[in-house]
Structure formats: C-alpha cells, structure tokens
Amino acid sequence: MQIRFFPFLAILICLSANALFSQNDTISQLKIGQWQQHLPWRSGKYVSTSATHAYFSTEWAVVEVDKSDFSPRFLTKVEGLSDIGVGLVRFNRAANLLLIAYSNSNIDLWNPTDGSVINLPFIKKNIGLQGDKKIYDVFFEGKNAFLSCGFGVVKLNLDREEVEYTIFTGTPVRNFTIFQNKFYLGTNEGIYTLAADNLTPADFGQWNLLDAAEGFPGDYSVSAMASFDGSLFFGSEKKLYRFDGSTLEIVKTHPKNDVIYLTTEGSGLVIGWKEQYDGEVEYRQPGGQTEQIYSTCSASKPFYGVEDGSGASPTDGSKKFWLADDSDDFRFFDLEKNDCERFKFNSPASPKISEINLSGEKVFVATPGPPSQLNPVYFRDGVLIYENGQWSQFSVATNPELQDGDCYADMWKVTANPENSDIFYTGSWVGGLIENNAGAVKCFTQNNSTLQGAGASGAGRTAIGGLAFDENQNLWISNYDASSPIAVLKSDGKFAHFSGAPANNLLQVVVDGNGYKWFVVAFNGGVMVFDSGSDLDSPSDDRYRLISSSNSVLPTNTVNCLTVDLDGDVWVGTQQGVVSFECGSNVFDENCKGSRRILNIDDFNGYLLETENIMTAAVDGANRKWFGTTNGIFVISPSGDAQVEKFTNTNSPLFSNEIVDIEINPKNGEVWIGSQNGLQTLRTEATVGGKVNTREPYAYPNPVRPDYDGPIAIYGLARDANVKITDVAGNLIFEGKSLGGQAVWDGRDYNGKRAASGVYLIFATSSASFDVPDAVVAKVVILN
C-alpha cells in the first residue's frame, strides 16, 4: 500500500506547487501570528564592532552589518529585543555580548550567536531613582561594564548579570575610564578620580575633583574622555586635553567645535568634533600622529565613530572606521585607500505616520501633518510607498515640482484609486490635493481649481482634511474650513462642490454601504452625514445631518475616527469609546441615535472601550473591529460584544501603545499598524470571504514539510464557512469555522499530536450541514 501511496504524494506535491505559484499574490510572506518591522534603516547614531560585525544603533533599533559584504540583520522588538528607542550600543568581546542601552534606561544584553536576549530593567524600573536616569556612556573592563548615568556610575557584572555597586554622584556622569590604576569620572563639574583598588568606591565622598590645585582649569566640564597611549584624553569647551598622570596639556583648540566623542575600539584614538551644524573626525595614532577622516565620508554632522577593532596593527595599512553621522547613510572608511562606502538598506524614509492606505499590492503611508490643534508644520517627508518588498518615496525630494504652491508640505492624507493603484492622491494641509497618475503629478489648489481656501483659519492655504473613494470611483474630499467644505473629484476628472453643510471644519471622510458620506467634525464637533443624492450636480436632493451627543448616544463630541464594516455599518471612535450606527438608509431619521455595545471583561460590564481614547479603527476579513487607542490595540468581535484580543507594547512586539492608524489587507490578513514609534505588520488568521467558496480554495503551506510546525491556512473559503478536515479514510481530524474566508489548522489531530504523513481532505461549506455533494474544496499533504 505504501508503494502505491508515495507516487501519488509526489504527483500531488507537484500539483500543489503549481496551484500555489498562481496564488502567490494573495499569500503573505509572514506566518500567521508573525510580526514584521518597517523601520527606517538609513543612518546610525552610535556604532560598535565585534571581530566580524559592526553594530549601528538608530533612533529606534539596531542593525548588525557583516563586515565582509555589508549584509544586514535587523534587531527590533519583532526580533526579540525588549524595547524600542535605542540610546547607545557597545560590544563586549570578552563576554561576546552586545549591550544595548535604551533611551528610557532599559538595558538588553544580546547574544549574536543564538540571538538570545537578557533584559536588565533595573535602572528603568527603579522608582527610587529620581531625575536623570539616562545612560550616557559604557566602559568595559573585561566582563564588567561601568555605566555612566545621570545619577552616577553603575558597575554591572555581565557574567552574573547583576549590579556590584552604584556610585551616586549628585551630578550626571558623562564618561568613565580607568587610567594608571585609577578610576576617572567625567562630569559637568570636571573630573573626579579614585584609586581603582579602593575597597569602597561607592562612597563618593572619597573621590577627588581634579581642579586648579592639580593644574586643571578652575571651572570646566567634560564632554568626552578616554585612556589612550599612556595618557588620559578629554574634551572640554572646544579643547582636547592630554593628562599623563602629572602634567596637563592642551593638544588642540578648535575655533568652533567641541569634542563630542573619543573612542579606542581599535589601535588608535578616534576624535569627533562637532557644533550644531558642522563637524569633523580625526584619527590619532600611538605616538601622536593625527590624520583627518575626510568629510567625503564623515560628512559634517558626526554622531559617533570607531576604528575597526579587528586586532590589526595600525602600521599594516588596515586603518578602517565605522562612522555614524546625522546625515543619511551608514559609513565605512578605509583611511589608507581614502575609500568611503556609504550605504543604506531598503526601508521607509521616515518612521512618522499619519495615515495608511492599501490598494492592490501597494501600501501608501502618509507622513504627519498638523498636530491636534491643526496648525500647519510644513513637514516635507511626503508619502512612503511599499511595493514588491521595496520602499520608495513621493515627496519634494523626489518630485521638485511639488515645491510650487506648497504642495509638498504636510501631505498627511493618502488614498489610491481602488481599481488602479498607479493613480493615488494625497491631501496636503496647506497645498491642496496632489494627484499622481503613474508619475504624472498635478497639484490642485484654490488658485488653479474649484477647491477653496481655508478661510479664517489660514488665508492662502488650501487644506485637505480627508479623502475617500466611493464605488463609482468618485473621490470625496474634505476641503477643510472652506465655505463649501465638501468636494468631489468625479471619475470624469471634474470637480463639484456642495454648499449648505452645517459644519465646515471637516476631517476624515468614509463612505458607507448606502453611499452616504460620513465626516469627522474637528474641535469637538461630532459627526456629519451627507447624502449627495442620485444626481451629483443637483443640490436639490442633498441631505445633511449633524450627529452630536445631544441627539445621539455619542458619549462625547470629540470624535477621532470612522470606519465602515462589512455589513455597511459605521463605527465611530471617540475620546470615550465606540458607537455604532446601523440605521442603514434611516440614518437621517432623528430616531437613529446609534448604539453602545456592553462588554463583560473580568466580570465587569461596561460600554465598549468606554475608558479608551479611540484614535483609529479598521475592519478585517472576518468583520472583526480593530481599534487603535492611546493604550494599544483592541480586537473586537464582529458584533462588537466581545473582546477577542488586546495588543500592547508589553505583551507583544508592538512598538508603542500610541496607535496612529491601522489598515488591513483583506486578501492575506496582514494588519498594517502605524504607531508613534514606527510602522509594522502583523499577519492574522482572518481574510475576506464571499457568500460561497471560491472556485479554487487552497492550503498553504502545501506540502507541509517536516521542519514546519506553524499553522496551516486554508484560503478562498466562504465567509464564516464550516470546515472539516479528514484523512483519506474519512477519519475526522479537525473541525471549526473560518475567520472571514480563511480557516486555520495547527496540523494536529484531536489528541494534539502532529498529523501523520499523508493526504488530508478539506471540506468546507457555508451551510450548517455538510450534506453537500462534492464538499471537498482542497487537499493538503503532510510530510514527516
């Protein structure tokens, strides 16, 4: 029997592979439940090296760069780090660990061999430490780390992962080093010193301040410090000093730049000089010879730099440097060859987000516009575009023609034509509506179209508050603070405007199942609903309704967001929870007041998310509601009466609890999440489903190979279909329901054991009964 079975398996595997090849456009590259980061990997803030890799910290995370070919490995919360917002990194070769100090004083020890992370939050969580807890610098002595902090110095044993002692100084410590068997602390008050063999170094009263009596300046602060070539070097007030243990001398005085760092990871001393808009990097060899690292590589805004610490002698022509700079690009410089490598990695150009829009296989991310008080900020990053795994940008940097009429500024709204993602529109808070038609760019303002100016709130500005397409490819526009604040760019390319609205400070717009337009009204104005009637060009059939807390169940007039679910109902996110409107065509009836769902959470009944500030809302393929708040993400059941999931930055890789926008790809279940700390995606188990199964449902992965132990997804099912999986003998292995159009099986039988090798039949129907002829919709092969 086995002889007959395995040839059949081979044939089925080939057939499955061919079927999947045609379905790749709907398959996410992520496993169900897997997260992915989309952070800017453009330049570094700090850098440190191991024998084989360089480690750059960015504002958000860490990138490991292979020295041989510059290939990256990205390290974020998604890859297992404990936090986001990196302050500095230092690699300890003795312990083979990367110490990551976050801007909130959290600490990770990351092992490059196995990717494991040890979190040490003792500074972050110490409520007894008041004031400045920042970690300014790290000095290694073997497997001990001395952390220079805002409150003093912490000696950390990396082997035991514990603190040996803390020196409370009463003043921020910028640097720590050991020189001639003495400890040295660099502070704003000068340099303090103590014998390294002192038995009670935590007693700061024993430390001695080096001042005029020892030949030091009478009043000075220390910006950087390092022990090198038999001397102590430090920077202070545009001067580089050298102290040999008895005599202090000025090595160099710079006319405008301060010393911002001194590093000794290699054989020499790397010196970073910088003022607000300028800077330079020097390299000092043992013996005193100093060379310039030219601005072709270090640019003019250095953050940090190290000599490659591979152990080579500086006399063998191997002087190489890794440089972090305020300008774009990571940098590697070979001094002997005068050769600079500047590189960046495929990533979005900015971490800042205001709105996400999906169309076809493209993702559009608008960057921030005005803050909550709606004052223009003239932000220039434009729109970030993701397609086929690659990021690009649409901004004044890529399209200089946007400079005309302020079209480039505050492009905070974006939507693409749902039938053609090559055509997309962005809304500027100051420069009107921008059309990009396959690269042909037009900017519509009050000066060249029927769009109107912002009136009293900003003369000269053409402010766009929201954009949404209807089913007829008409683009609806919130023309903020205009006398006729509702506009439409019709599918024929002509504008129309509508007067008579009871409010003109309109922001987000969505179109419901009846074709009605819903608008967020700014400044605690509630919600406005508009029916343009059957004739867009005739005002006679127009209807308006302003919905507020006085004529509905809205708990507050502070409305932040709107979304339309798969049944055409509108869900309104407010500062005090969620209200749904399921009145259909009766929404203009005064008796349509909306409803507030009651949930029981932890044996407590309450209105749906009544204590949460709802910032954004989206609907997945199973009609579940995703609400982004200032306290994380809540996933709510289709009917709104049960909490399915909650994601926060403590129970998931979520970068921040302050959610800006959520958009969901209904085809593959990917949730795009924009937070205050950047963009990321999560693959969920829900995809869109129709009334009946598609013609070719399929399972993925298929075949399921021995090394795969994740969920198996069955695509292309009817919405909420009943699903059964059997072996070829008809034995039931699994049964359940699809979420939207996708069912998920863990590949195990009822006893929790991995299913045996073989072919499994998938039955699915939208009927409650399985008495349907030919209900087999797909097959999956398990290989063990």
Side-chain angles (χ1 to χ4, degrees):
M1 185 171 183
Q2 289 181 333
I3 296 175
R4 292 193 301 269
F5 182 65
F6 281 107
F8 171 69
L9 268 182
I11 294 170
L12 187 56
I13 289 170
C14 293
L15 292 175
S16 299
N18 290 334
L20 286 176
F21 184 80
S22 65
Q23 301 287 351
N24 276 342
D25 60 332
T26 60
I27 296 175
S28 170
Q29 297 304 307
L30 303 179
K31 298 177 182 178
I32 293 173
Q34 185 179 0
W35 295 71
Q36 182 177 8
Q37 58 79 21
H38 294 278
L39 291 172
W41 302 101
R42 299 292 174 123
S43 62
K45 290 178 62 178
Y46 288 87
V47 62
S48 186
T49 64
S50 70
T52 56
H53 293 84
Y55 295 90
F56 284 92
S57 71
T58 69
E59 185 177 346
W60 309 274
V62 179
V63 56
E64 177 192 66
V65 180
D66 191 305
K67 290 182 180 180
S68 64
D69 59 6
F70 298 153
S71 61
R73 174 162 59 159
F74 303 113
L75 310 176
T76 74
K77 280 192 72 177
V78 173
E79 287 74 33
L81 298 188
S82 302
D83 220 322
I84 191 164
V86 177
L88 59 87
V89 292
R90 295 285 189 278
F91 194 87
N92 184 289
R93 299 194 181 197
N96 192 40
L97 292 172
L98 180 71
L99 188 150
I100 303 170
Y102 296 94
S103 55
N104 62 5
S105 304
N106 202 357
I107 297 172
D108 274 348
L109 302 179
W110 180 77
N111 188 319
T113 302
D114 59 12
S116 61
V117 176
I118 298 169
N119 182 230
L120 303 175
F122 58 89
I123 297 177
K124 174 186 175 182
K125 292 187 175 182
N126 191 334
I127 59 175
L129 293 175
Q130 301 298 318
D132 185 3
K133 297 198 289 185
K134 181 178 178 179
I135 301 171
Y136 288 97
D137 201 4
V138 178
F139 175 83
F140 291 130
E141 182 193 33
K143 295 183 181 181
N144 292 315
F146 292 85
L147 313 179
S148 299
C149 305
F151 55 85
V153 174
V154 175
K155 183 180 181 182
L156 174 65
N157 186 297
L158 299 179
D159 255 355
R160 297 197 300 269
E161 303 154 19
E162 64 182 24
V163 173
E164 292 194 1
Y165 58 76
T166 301
I167 307 167
F168 292 100
T169 59
T171 186
V173 178
R174 307 292 179 177
N175 313 96
F176 176 97
T177 195
I178 300 176
F179 170 60
Q180 293 183 348
N181 201 33
K182 289 184 178 181
F183 292 153
Y184 288 84
L185 306 182
T187 75
N188 289 340
E189 299 173 355
I191 295 175
Y192 289 86
T193 186
L194 181 72
D197 57 3
N198 188 286
L199 298 179
T200 56
D203 179 8
F204 191 58
Q206 300 183 82
W207 290 71
N208 179 49
L209 177 65
L210 300 178
D211 54 18
E214 288 83 10
F216 282 68
D219 182 17
Y220 69 104
S221 63
V222 177
S223 58
M225 184 170 63
S227 174
F228 169 70
D229 197 22
S231 298
L232 180 72
F233 288 81
F234 68 93
S236 177
E237 290 139 10
K238 298 180 175 59
K239 295 181 178 65
L240 177 65
Y241 290 87
R242 175 181 173 271
F243 178 58
D244 64 5
S246 58
T247 304
L248 182 71
E249 67 170 332
I250 298 174
V251 176
K252 179 177 179 178
T253 300
H254 200 285
K256 60 179 181 178
N257 294 343
D258 290 313
V259 176
I260 61 165
Y261 68 81
L262 298 168
T263 64
T264 57
E265 288 199 12
S267 303
L269 177 68
V270 182
I271 309 163
W273 299 82
K274 188 181 180 184
E275 53 116 19
Q276 186 175 5
Y277 300 109
D278 194 12
E280 59 191 64
V281 180
E282 293 177 331
Y283 175 62
R284 182 183 178 97
Q285 296 188 39
Q289 180 181 347
T290 301
E291 300 176 78
Q292 189 83 16
I293 297 179
Y294 294 104
S295 60
T296 54
C297 199
S298 65
S300 60
K301 300 177 182 179
F303 271 150
Y304 206 76
V306 296
E307 182 183 6
D308 190 291
S310 298
S313 166
T315 61
D316 67 358
S318 60
K319 290 173 285 190
K320 300 178 177 65
F321 304 87
W322 299 88
L323 304 167
D325 195 273
D326 194 22
S327 304
D328 266 358
D329 302 338
F330 301 97
R331 297 149 194 266
F332 172 76
F333 182 60
D334 187 320
L335 180 60
E336 295 298 324
K337 297 179 180 179
N338 191 25
D339 181 26
C340 177
E341 294 281 352
R342 297 179 57 165
F343 53 97
K344 65 185 66 173
F345 304 106
N346 171 44
S347 63
S350 172
K352 299 178 180 179
I353 300 156
S354 64
E355 188 170 76
I356 307 167
N357 179 257
L358 275 59
S359 178
E361 299 304 312
K362 293 184 181 179
V363 180
F364 300 87
V365 181
T367 52
S372 57
Q373 64 270 27
L374 298 182
N375 295 321
V377 292
Y378 291 89
F379 198 73
R380 303 173 64 94
D381 278 0
V383 174
L384 315 174
I385 304 169
Y386 183 74
E387 182 181 15
N388 297 325
Q390 298 294 313
W391 284 96
S392 61
Q393 186 176 12
F394 174 64
S395 70
V396 68
T398 60
N399 293 77
E401 65 270 25
L402 293 173
Q403 189 73 45
D404 297 336
D406 291 338
C407 294
Y408 71 91
D410 295 346
M411 294 164 65
W412 70 318
K413 300 295 178 182
V414 63
T415 190
N417 187 307
E419 299 297 325
N420 183 358
S421 61
D422 287 337
I423 304 173
F424 68 94
Y425 295 84
T426 67
S428 165
W429 190 240
V430 295
L433 177 72
I434 301 96
E435 177 188 78
N436 187 323
N437 188 339
V441 178
K442 294 180 182 178
C443 185
F444 301 101
T445 71
Q446 60 183 307
N447 300 318
N448 63 3
S449 73
T450 59
L451 291 176
Q452 299 173 1
S457 70
R461 291 193 295 116
T462 307
I464 305 301
L467 301 169
F469 276 97
D470 65 20
E471 63 179 8
N472 297 315
Q473 309 306 304
N474 299 308
L475 177 64
W476 291 89
I477 305 164
S478 300
N479 193 177
Y480 182 85
D481 204 23
S483 57
S484 299
I486 301 174
V488 61
L489 179 59
K490 295 185 290 185
S491 57
D492 61 7
K494 297 178 180 178
F495 281 98
H497 285 261
F498 303 86
S499 58
N504 63 353
N505 50 331
L506 306 183
L507 295 176
Q508 183 191 6
V509 54
V510 299
V511 183
D512 71 11
N514 292 289
Y516 302 152
K517 276 60 71 176
W518 293 65
F519 297 85
V520 171
V521 183
F523 300 116
N524 310 317
V527 177
M528 190 184 78
V529 189
F530 171 57
D531 175 17
S532 55
S534 59
D535 187 352
L536 288 183
D537 298 317
S538 173
S540 62
D541 56 358
D542 296 350
R543 291 187 294 173
Y544 299 89
R545 184 187 177 198
L546 190 63
I547 300 175
S548 68
S549 58
S550 64
N551 63 7
S552 74
V553 299
L554 283 177
T556 173
N557 288 329
T558 304
V559 174
N560 298 320
C561 61
L562 306 163
T563 193
V564 181
D565 71 12
L566 300 184
D567 298 325
D569 300 325
V570 177
W571 295 71
V572 180
T574 79
Q575 200 175 51
Q576 298 175 27
V578 180
V579 174
S580 64
F581 287 86
E582 301 152 67
C583 309
S585 60
N586 296 322
V587 68
F588 292 93
D589 190 318
E590 63 181 12
N591 292 321
C592 175
K593 299 182 181 297
S595 63
R596 302 181 71 186
R597 299 295 197 275
I598 295 178
L599 276 70
N600 184 287
I601 299 177
D602 297 329
D603 296 323
F604 177 78
N605 289 329
Y607 287 121
L608 176 58
L609 304 179
E610 62 181 329
T611 62
E612 302 295 338
N613 189 7
I614 313 299
M615 303 305 297
T616 184
V619 176
D620 68 16
N623 208 26
R624 300 182 302 180
K625 283 71 181 175
W626 292 64
F627 296 109
T629 74
T630 53
N631 190 33
I633 297 172
F634 295 82
V635 185
I636 305 299
S637 64
S639 58
D641 56 3
Q643 180 175 307
V644 177
E645 186 65 86
K646 180 182 179 182
F647 298 102
T648 69
N649 62 0
T650 57
N651 72 3
S652 75
L654 190 64
F655 291 152
S656 169
N657 285 339
E658 296 187 49
I659 308 302
V660 177
D661 198 22
I662 298 173
E663 189 77 7
I664 301 175
N665 187 328
K667 292 182 179 180
N668 59 23
E670 280 190 355
V671 181
W672 287 77
I673 302 166
S675 73
Q676 291 290 348
N677 286 335
L679 184 69
Q680 55 194 138
T681 50
L682 166 64
R683 168 82 184 284
T684 71
E685 64 270 43
T687 63
V688 69
K691 293 182 179 180
V692 297
N693 298 325
T694 61
R695 299 179 65 179
E696 294 183 359
Y698 60 98
Y700 183 82
N702 193 7
V704 180
R705 301 187 183 278
D707 57 351
Y708 182 80
D709 194 32
I712 301 164
I714 300 100
Y715 297 87
L717 304 180
R719 180 175 161 188
D720 302 327
N722 298 291
V723 178
K724 289 186 179 182
I725 299 176
T726 74
D727 59 21
V728 290
N731 298 308
L732 184 63
I733 302 297
F734 167 86
E735 64 178 328
K737 292 180 71 70
S738 66
L739 271 174
Q742 175 176 270
V744 177
W745 176 38
D746 63 3
R748 300 180 184 277
D749 61 23
Y750 276 109
N751 296 318
K753 297 181 179 179
R754 181 180 172 95
S757 293
V759 177
Y760 291 85
L761 310 179
I762 301 169
F763 299 80
T765 176
S766 56
S767 169
S769 169
F770 276 89
D771 297 328
V772 180
D774 300 322
V776 176
V777 296
K779 299 175 183 178
V780 62
V781 178
I782 303 288
L783 300 176
N784 288 322

